[in-house]
């Protein structure tokens, strides 16, 4: 797999803290231990498209008013979903 920034294939798996705006735009939350890729060449740490999509899907599907300002990725992803599928994706 190649780095999305510099194109080198020297990525390593890691976790980091990300700040994410809720889909309704009311606030941003801090998500700890989020899976990420880290590039050993350019030093960039980032989430891949798939990871971002998964995270955004989850935020759409759960009751975000019930989650804390700071949450771990694992507990965020284990929140019960309100909808059976994502109606926001066309
Ligand atoms: Zn890179």
């Amino acid at each position: 797999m190649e780095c999305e920034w510099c194109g080198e294939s020297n990525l390593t798996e890691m976790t980091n803290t990300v700040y994410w705006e809720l889909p309704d735009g009311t606030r941003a939350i801090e998500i700890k231990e989020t899976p990420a890729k880290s590039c050993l060449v350019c030093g960039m740490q980032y989430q891949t498209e798939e990871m971002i999509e998964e995270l955004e899907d989850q935020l759409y599907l759960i009751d975000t008013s019930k989650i804390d300002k700071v949450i771990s990725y694992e507990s965020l992803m284990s929140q019960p979903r309100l909808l059976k599928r994502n109606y926001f994706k066309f």
Side-chain angles (χ1 to χ4, degrees):
M1 191 176 172
E2 289 176 359
C3 173
E4 289 174 20
W5 300 89
C6 68
E8 299 287 336
S9 5
N10 219 336
L11 292 177
T12 179
E13 305 276 335
M14 52 142 356
T15 62
N16 64 9
T17 298
V18 295
Y19 297 87
W20 220 271
E21 191 177 321
L22 295 180
D24 62 10
T26 51
R27 62 188 175 128
I29 56 167
E30 186 178 332
I31 309 165
K32 292 187 175 295
E33 292 150 43
T34 309
K37 302 281 181 193
S38 174
C39 177
L40 299 173
V41 179
C42 69
M44 194 59 107
Q45 296 177 3
Y46 61 94
Q47 274 70 36
T48 63
E49 286 290 322
E50 295 81 45
M51 292 166 173
I52 292 170
E53 209 165 286
E54 214 175 312
L55 195 55
E56 299 221 303
D57 275 1
Q58 180 68 357
L59 288 172
Y60 271 120
L61 296 172
I62 62 172
D63 183 356
T64 52
S65 66
K66 290 208 171 68
I67 58 175
D68 292 330
K69 197 181 182 313
V70 181
I71 191 168
S72 75
Y73 181 81
E74 210 185 314
S75 58
L76 177 69
M77 296 313 274
S78 63
Q79 294 290 313
R81 294 184 163 196
L82 298 173
L83 304 174
K84 286 193 182 69
R85 63 181 191 86
N86 190 349
Y87 294 99
F88 300 94
K89 196 188 279 176
F90 296 104

